[in-house]
Amino acid sequence: MAQYFAYKARNLAGDLITGKIEAENRNKAISQLRERRIFVVDIKEAPALDAGIKLDRFFQPKVGGRELAVMCRQFATMVQAGVPLLQTIGIISQQSDNKTLKKTMKNVGSNLEGGKSLTDSVKPYPRVFPDIFTSMIEAGELSGDLEHVLERLAVIFEKEHYMKEKIKSAMTYPAVVLVVAVLAVTALMVFVLPTMTQMLIDMKVPLPVTTTMIIALSDFLRNQWYVVFGLVIALFFGYKAAVKTGRGKKLKDNIVLKLPVVGPLNQKIIVSRFCRSLSTLLRSGVPVLQSLEVVKNIVNNHRVNMSLLDAERSIKEGQSFAKPIQRSRFFPPMVGTMISIGEETGSIDSLLEKVAEFYENEVDDMVARLSSLVEPVLLVGMGLVVGFILVSIMLPIFSLYDNIQ
């Protein structure tokens, strides 16, 4: 059984280097390092790279699209300037503000010093480098066009970051309004209503059905709040567990796509991401079947993956790539038409890029409209809920006033 060994060693230049290596035993680990012209100073057993649950993973900063885009821009510039690969990795590691990326780049540098290729050096870190990064780096190394591949990666990470930030900024204000509304209604039900309802009960005023319902809900929230809290937590973790199953993931994807407003927006986001990613992969020289595998992981939607599996079968049988996309009920006709034209003219990558730009603009427009629509809907909804509560309490008071007169 293979084990991991942590080592300190010196290379041919006499520099002290550290790293980890996988081997069946200590002697074979030393032999493998010697074959790479690395001479061991100290070596000992180390835990597997991904063994166990490491608490620091939960507290490490994530590496987002912005950090990856900046890293790719720096990488491309230094490659173009002729800076050696190992030195480039070291410079990026020193300049990175993200602790996770800094540490990962140091490990990549150690792997390179150990004689691995750049592709094999980044593969052990899928939490930092997504599949599209690894596949395109591999294509860039094989074609000798690493500089342009890195520039394309920077563009795709920048586009992805911009789209996410656009959606976040549009949804921030409505989310804040929703949270404030929920807190306000909860405070009204828990702290204000009990005083008023107790007065009505003491005066033995006949209570309408709506008032009785509001009082019962208020008592439940005050006395059984832990049930509500536990139910929310159970629903959250139950949802997380369900979407990890194949059936749950399929159900979630189908429900999201059928939701009004959100469904069409999600579809356009997926289509733009699909076209942008596939265009970039093909332009970088990644084989079409491998590109489709990478795109499936990027899109991560059951309906799209089924369409792409159909496309893979069609390509393996020597048939058209466009026809399965045209048969799909998910992709708009424009996508299938463009792929069909691209197959005939040999320009699928450039046509897919144009489709991606079109749908990215569509997403921008929809997000702007959705933001302006959600705000008044939430305010009206909040007003209706608060108004219903107040009317339910005021009705018996009015009834009491009429009886007195």
Side-chain angles (χ1 to χ4, degrees), residues 195-208 211-212 215 393 395-401 403-404:
T195 303
M196 301 178 67
T197 55
Q198 188 60 46
M199 178 185 67
L200 296 174
I201 293 171
D202 291 342
M203 297 179 68
K204 298 181 180 181
V205 178
L207 302 177
T211 307
T212 306
I215 293 173
I393 298 301
L395 279 177
I397 294 176
F398 292 149
S399 176
L400 177 63
Y401 179 75
N403 290 336
I404 292 174

Side-chain angles (χ1 to χ4, degrees), residues 206-218:
L207 302 177
V209 176
T210 56
T211 307
T212 306
M213 291 171 54
I214 293 297
I215 293 173
L217 181 59
S218 175

Side-chain angles (χ1 to χ4, degrees), residues 11 21 111 119 142 185 194 207 209 259 263 279 303 317 383 397:
N11 57 21
I21 187 171
N111 292 338
T119 305
L142 293 174
V185 171
L207 302 177
V209 176
L259 291 174
S279 169
R303 285 183 61 184
E317 294 170 0
I397 294 176

Side-chain angles (χ1 to χ4, degrees), residues 213-285:
M213 291 171 54
I214 293 297
I215 293 173
L217 181 59
S218 175
D219 290 341
F220 180 77
L221 290 175
R222 285 189 301 114
N223 301 321
Q224 308 290 332
W225 60 268
Y226 52 87
V227 175
V228 178
F229 186 70
L231 184 61
V232 170
I233 293 177
L235 287 174
F236 175 77
F237 286 105
Y239 168 79
K240 288 287 188 182
V243 296
K244 289 181 179 178
T245 65
R247 183 177 297 178
K249 179 72 168 59
K250 178 181 178 181
L251 181 62
K252 186 206 82 169
D253 290 341
N254 288 334
I255 289 174
V256 170
L257 289 173
K258 290 178 180 178
L259 291 174
V261 183
V262 175
L265 175 62
N266 194 49
Q267 182 189 25
K268 291 179 188 296
I269 291 172
I270 291 172
V271 170
S272 66
R273 187 177 293 169
F274 163 80
C275 294
R276 175 71 63 182
S277 303
L278 186 57
S279 169
T280 306
L281 287 162
L282 294 175
R283 184 167 293 177
S284 300

